[in-house]
Amino acid sequence: MTENNRRLGILISGRGSNLQSIIDAVAEDRLVAVIAVVVSNEPGAAGLQRARLAGIETLVIDHRTFPSRSAYDTALVEALRGYNVGLVCLAGFMRLLGKGFVDAFSGRILNIHPSLLPAFPGLHGQQQALEYGVRVTGATVHIVTPDLDAGPIVMQASVAIGEDDTVQSLSERILVEEHRIYPEAIARLLSGRWRIEGRRFVKI
Ligand code: GRF
């Protein structure tokens, strides 16, 4: 990735609790980075207010106003380049990004997912885990590739599933782990001390 570009572009669609964990980590110097811009595809996303409260620039780029997925992706790329973003962090961004977007920021896009990938990709990872009956699930931060939830894994944290767990109780515990590992995974990526071997993220 571009050396020394610690400018983050954070993409959200909703409540933005992972965004908040990144804002807090930057404020507390646990993560040396600048949040250059927060972009939401949803005009009403609660996370936008979190960003504004922290004095971070926000943009709404509503996918419904674009004729195609690729036109939307192009607009996103242009907006992020306009803010000189070096690393894109997906934080509850509920849109699939096409190859055009992924290529524009190749190896410089992270996502957080509420399961231990490669188990339970896609929507409702917590519910999938409960329905499958696994005893352990968790959270994964991975590099985004054109394939959904399938890129190299940067960090994971496990969460045990109890007999009485519901989607809500499990989601709450997974979220605690998400908030812990996402800022740390971003710091690892920004350190530049890594390389990809096969599909492995390897520290150097
Ligand atoms: C998180 O569970 C994350 O893993 C998933 O979407 C949710 C976003 O939550 N990708 P929030 O908007 O960060 O609170």
Side-chain angles (χ1 to χ4, degrees):
M1 68 190 277
T2 317
E3 287 307 318
N4 296 325
N5 186 344
R6 292 179 165 266
R7 293 175 60 78
L8 310 181
I10 304 183
L11 271 50
I12 64 168
S13 299
R15 102 197 123 171
S17 70
N18 279 288
L19 162 66
Q20 189 69 55
S21 76
I22 300 167
I23 292 174
D24 293 347
V26 170
E28 293 162 15
D29 283 334
R30 284 180 284 123
L31 173 60
V32 180
V34 174
I35 305 176
V37 65
V38 170
V39 183
S40 176
N41 66 309
E42 292 289 349
L48 287 169
Q49 187 59 12
R50 296 179 190 265
R52 290 186 196 115
L53 276 173
I56 298 163
E57 294 218 34
T58 60
L59 284 179
V60 173
I61 308 181
D62 185 341
H63 57 280
R64 287 161 287 235
T65 62
F66 290 84
S68 65
R69 190 178 292 281
S70 68
Y72 183 68
D73 284 3
T74 301
L76 274 183
V77 169
E78 281 173 8
L80 293 165
R81 285 202 175 133
Y83 281 87
N84 188 24
V85 161
L87 177 63
V88 180
C89 302
L90 309 184
F93 184 66
M94 301 305 287
R95 302 288 305 167
L96 292 176
L97 293 167
K99 192 170 172 341
F101 185 93
V102 174
D103 286 348
F105 288 97
S106 182
R108 295 181 295 141
I109 312 170
L110 284 177
N111 183 41
I112 180 110
H113 181 80
S115 76
L116 290 177
L117 291 172
F120 315 127
L123 290 174
H124 311 303
Q126 306 93 330
Q127 187 176 341
Q128 291 187 58
L130 276 176
E131 285 173 1
Y132 196 95
V134 292
R135 303 296 176 165
V136 179
T137 184
T140 301
V141 180
H142 67 93
I143 294 176
V144 172
T145 59
D147 297 323
L148 180 68
D149 297 333
I153 290 169
V154 180
M155 281 187 81
Q156 291 186 304
S158 59
V159 173
I161 298 181
E163 292 295 326
D164 300 329
D165 260 319
T166 61
V167 170
Q168 192 185 336
S169 66
L170 181 59
S171 300
E172 283 168 9
R173 292 208 309 292
I174 292 175
L175 210 53
V176 171
E177 295 304 313
E178 291 187 20
H179 298 164
R180 186 175 65 77
I181 67 172
Y182 206 3
E184 201 178 325
I186 293 168
R188 276 193 197 178
L189 212 85
L190 289 176
S191 77
R193 295 192 298 271
W194 55 273
R195 64 167 179 269
I196 301 295
E197 281 178 10
R199 54 156 299 117
R200 296 174 62 227
F201 178 90
V202 180
K203 279 196 230 170
I204 52 175

